[in-house]
Amino acid sequence: MEQPDECFDPLQFAVDLNLSDIKNVNLDENVFISKGLINQANGSSSIESKSLITQANGSSFIELSATKVTCAIYGPRETSSTSDESYSKCLLETSIKFSPFARQHRIDPLSVQYDNDEDCEESELCSRLEEALLPCILLHKYPKSQIDIIIDVIEDDGQHLLSAIILSATVALIDACIELYDTVVAKSLKTNDSLFTLCYMPNLAQVSCIFFDGEATPNYLDELTDEAVKQCQLLHKAICKVVISDLKSAAALNRKIV
Amino acid sequence: MSIDNYEELQKFIDLNEHYRTYLDEHNNTRPDGRKFHENRSIQILKKFLQHSYGSSMIRFGNTTVICSITGQLAKPSLKSLRSGFIQTVVLLPRTQAWSTYGRRQQIINENLTLSQHLLDIIYKSKLINLEDLCIEEGKWVWCLQIDFQCLNNDGNLFDSCLLALNVALHHTYFPTVKIDPDTQKPLVYTKELKHFQYNQQQEPLCCTIAVYEYEQEYKYLIDPTLEEENIAKCILHYVLLKNDQICLIHKTSGAPFSIDKFHQCYSFAREYILELRRKLNQ
């Protein structure tokens, strides 16, 4: 079969796109957190594990309005790095990849991406994720090992990407039974053209980091911080609910087998 | 993958032994509780994605595959001015590279062969007519991009990808494109969507059979999990169309097969695919 020489994105030629159309902000955003996908029982006799990615130590799937992100955690496992750092604490390796259908414009998965490409969004998101997670993992408990966090962005609606990534990493870390000081809950707020993301640790009542792109006065930033902290606490309750119900069902399953 | 109990430890040490001891104790059932001819529970989700023209997500037990159909505009080749193009890409989870069973080389080749198989099936079964992708002869055609993202590989990717493709095609809507007569440039009306025309009569669906040798005879495991695929002597793929005609047979080497064994497997495949079609048309 032949392949075309050059492909054009149909959106380039779109006639009826309303760019000045401000989309209605969906005030009740749907949040869906799960460590596996919900298994609707249809009478089969097979025992299926409920985790999304079976090979991984921990995995999760987060849906925040239209953003869908899956995360898999491998670790702690032996590290191949022999640097001085690795002798005293655990190394964190993060990898984020977009699906070809994640955005309006298709991202060709077969095109090679060079590592020292400066405007590589994936590596920027990786470093932000690391910054957000480093304060909460007990790295000194896993010397000479590394934890791999692998994230697949299935769909991105522009606003919630960073918070979905951090939330999915948190839930997957809990699923992988890696020791944490506290869960990291992240919330993104979008106002006009600026995006504000806050990573919060609810039990310790500490902010792990803040990311902000745009223009704002310091007072406005204070307001945004307060608003985000309140919403983070709600998200934290949702995460707790999921973790506890998962633990209960796992305990029930174990009891059945034993 | 954590080793929590005796069963998982046994699997980790020697998968083959584990299967053999299980089959010794329980007759006619596999370790995950199914009979040999039983398939896993199937979940189908339609219209999963926002930005694609058509999408679906399929779960065969733990194997999860997302299919997304988008289109791009291209100029047709000079050999056939009316035909469009189709590109299929299968992406395996990057997480597979770290699995204990996976040998990296094997995994990288598997998705390429799968992409090519799917393209062959679409082309040979005339599921999508290339002429339907034409907008204006000689000037603009659609280039259909079919992306399969496998979130979790627990065996039987072929079946799930093909089923996902069928479900996604059923609900694909393309924007209308008209050619501006003055500038010869395409005008895309994204708000006016129309249903994608494809050959709904041909519904190619696949049945994967793993052949396992136990006590000198072959056991046919339908819808194998990843472990079963690894211990199997050979793997058979049967792709059948709606009128039970064979579209593609693919057999990996390993187990010598006579013609009557092929016929036997064909009858298994027919029953299995009949059930799949019932699921698809629900």
Side-chain angles (χ1 to χ4, degrees):
Chain A
M1 281 209 69
E2 287 183 24
Q3 297 305 321
D5 294 328
E6 207 185 335
C7 278
F8 300 97
D9 193 4
L11 288 174
Q12 285 175 346
F13 307 110
V15 161
D16 50 6
L17 269 186
N18 258 334
L19 288 173
S20 59
D21 215 0
I22 304 172
K23 269 196 182 156
N24 296 338
V25 175
N26 197 0
L27 285 174
D28 41 53
E29 298 159 337
N30 297 322
V31 176
F32 179 75
I33 305 172
S34 91
K35 289 207 218 158
L37 294 175
I38 294 179
N39 205 3
Q40 288 150 357
N42 53 2
S44 74
S45 59
S46 54
I47 304 168
E48 288 164 3
S49 71
K50 288 183 111 202
S51 59
L52 175 60
I53 297 173
T54 45
Q55 306 271 9
N57 292 85
S59 62
S60 71
F61 173 79
I62 302 273
E63 196 176 320
L64 285 177
S65 49
T67 306
K68 301 179 181 64
V69 167
T70 71
C71 175
I73 300 231
Y74 287 85
R77 43 185 208 102
E78 236 179 85
T79 183
S80 49
S81 141
T82 50
S83 66
D84 286 332
E85 263 184 33
S86 69
Y87 282 128
S88 55
K89 60 186 177 134
C90 185
L91 292 178
L92 207 63
E93 299 267 332
T94 50
S95 160
I96 299 182
K97 259 244 143 100
F98 284 87
S99 307
F101 38 83
R103 295 201 160 140
Q104 282 281 38
H105 301 272
R106 179 174 180 267
I107 303 162
D108 192 2
L110 303 173
S111 68
V112 181
Q113 271 182 336
Y114 298 100
D115 279 321
N116 37 11
D117 199 349
E118 258 131 23
D119 57 2
C120 197
E121 191 178 351
E122 291 170 359
S123 53
E124 189 190 333
L125 284 170
C126 280
S127 63
R128 289 187 176 183
L129 174 65
E130 264 186 57
E131 267 182 52
L133 287 182
L134 279 174
C136 86
I137 307 180
L138 269 76
L139 295 171
H140 57 270
K141 283 240 170 167
Y142 306 103
K144 296 187 214 161
S145 22
Q146 70 180 51
I147 297 178
D148 293 310
I149 303 181
I150 295 168
I151 295 193
D152 264 310
V153 179
I154 299 175
E155 215 182 328
D156 173 21
D157 70 349
Q159 183 186 351
H160 297 281
L161 185 58
L162 189 54
S163 65
I165 288 175
I166 295 173
L167 275 174
S168 69
T170 308
V171 180
L173 280 171
I174 298 175
D175 192 28
C177 303
I178 291 178
E179 302 196 39
L180 305 174
Y181 283 117
D182 193 2
T183 58
V184 180
V185 183
K187 181 69 193 162
S188 295
L189 296 168
K190 185 167 189 166
T191 47
N192 306 332
D193 277 325
S194 32
L195 191 62
F196 176 81
T197 309
L198 178 109
C199 309
Y200 184 63
M201 296 198 279
N203 288 327
L204 298 176
Q206 288 177 0
V207 171
S208 118
C209 52
I210 296 183
F211 301 110
F212 180 67
D213 280 317
E215 276 181 30
T217 59
N219 287 338
Y220 190 54
L221 275 181
D222 282 339
E223 281 174 28
L224 283 178
T225 313
D226 290 332
E227 175 67 34
V229 165
K230 262 187 254 166
Q231 298 204 16
C232 279
Q233 278 160 350
L234 290 173
L235 275 175
H236 175 68
K237 286 205 186 100
I239 290 185
C240 287
K241 212 165 143 191
V242 167
V243 170
I244 292 173
S245 69
D246 187 72
L247 205 60
K248 279 190 187 157
S249 61
L253 205 65
N254 274 332
R255 236 176 277 142
K256 238 199 285 178
I257 292 178
V258 164
Chain B
M1 193 190 67
S2 48
I3 302 176
D4 282 327
N5 47 23
Y6 178 67
E7 183 193 318
E8 292 195 14
L9 184 64
Q10 215 183 9
K11 271 197 226 174
F12 187 70
I13 296 173
D14 190 349
L15 196 55
N16 226 334
E17 258 321 298
H18 170 79
Y19 256 74
R20 205 164 295 136
T21 48
Y22 194 92
L23 284 179
D24 279 337
E25 293 166 26
H26 310 83
N27 217 358
N28 266 343
T29 42
R30 304 191 254 189
D32 56 3
R34 295 185 281 157
K35 301 236 182 330
F36 291 148
H37 305 322
E38 223 176 292
N39 57 349
R40 296 176 275 188
S41 62
I42 304 170
Q43 288 170 51
I44 302 177
L45 209 67
K46 303 174 205 170
K47 290 192 104 38
F48 188 57
L49 302 167
Q50 261 189 346
H51 302 300
S52 322
Y53 298 160
S55 58
S56 66
M57 180 160 92
I58 303 282
R59 278 201 103 195
F60 266 68
N62 280 330
T63 303
T64 317
V65 169
I66 297 179
C67 171
S68 145
I69 300 181
T70 44
Q72 291 183 320
L73 297 170
K75 294 219 194 295
S77 75
L78 293 170
K79 283 188 227 167
S80 42
L81 294 170
R82 282 193 67 89
S83 3
F85 305 99
I86 303 179
Q87 279 181 336
T88 50
V89 178
V90 175
L91 295 168
L92 288 183
R94 290 170 298 135
T95 55
Q96 290 290 150
W98 282 275
S99 74
T100 44
Y101 305 129
R103 279 157 276 163
R104 195 130 191 234
Q105 206 54 41
Q106 191 183 46
I107 286 169
I108 291 179
N109 288 333
E110 199 181 306
N111 70 339
L112 290 178
T113 53
L114 196 53
S115 314
Q116 193 55 41
H117 275 312
L118 290 167
L119 199 58
D120 282 339
I121 291 172
I122 295 175
Y123 193 50
K124 292 281 153 67
S125 73
K126 299 195 178 31
L127 181 64
I128 300 174
N129 213 347
L130 290 181
E131 319 258 301
D132 285 336
L133 297 174
C134 175
I135 303 170
E136 184 164 321
E137 181 172 345
K139 302 268 172 49
W140 290 102
V141 293
W142 280 110
C143 173
L144 209 61
Q145 309 269 11
I146 306 180
D147 295 307
F148 295 93
Q149 171 103 354
C150 170
L151 293 181
N152 188 28
N153 184 11
D154 197 18
N156 209 0
L157 274 184
F158 209 135
D159 284 15
S160 20
C161 283
L162 208 46
L163 189 61
L165 177 62
N166 276 305
V167 175
L169 276 177
H170 207 60
H171 300 276
T172 306
Y173 294 94
F174 266 69
T176 29
V177 183
K178 301 196 182 109
I179 306 289
D180 193 357
D182 306 320
T183 60
Q184 296 301 318
K185 280 218 169 350
L187 302 170
V188 174
Y189 297 91
T190 51
K191 301 283 192 292
E192 299 169 30
L193 301 167
K194 62 174 185 204
H195 200 108
F196 181 57
Q197 299 299 327
Y198 71 104
N199 212 345
Q200 279 188 342
Q201 278 73 43
Q202 317 276 60
E203 250 177 18
L205 286 174
C206 176
C207 171
T208 307
I209 304 175
V211 177
Y212 180 62
E213 186 168 3
Y214 177 68
E215 286 180 355
Q216 311 303 323
E217 64 170 44
Y218 288 159
K219 298 280 182 205
Y220 302 105
L221 311 173
I222 296 189
D223 193 7
T225 60
L226 191 62
E227 298 162 350
E228 290 167 1
E229 277 185 0
N230 282 327
I231 58 161
K233 216 149 190 249
C234 81
I235 298 180
L236 273 165
H237 298 293
Y238 270 84
V239 178
L240 301 182
L241 303 176
K242 206 159 192 177
N243 49 6
D244 280 344
Q245 278 197 327
I246 299 178
C247 179
L248 180 136
I249 300 183
H250 184 250
K251 175 184 173 303
T252 57
S253 64
F257 248 51
S258 56
I259 299 275
D260 39 276
K261 290 208 174 66
F262 272 112
H263 285 306
Q264 200 183 4
C265 286
Y266 173 68
S267 53
F268 292 150
R270 222 172 41 180
E271 287 169 27
Y272 172 78
I273 288 184
L274 205 61
E275 216 191 292
L276 270 190
R277 281 197 212 286
R278 229 176 283 143
K279 253 278 154 73
L280 180 59
N281 292 324
Q282 257 173 6

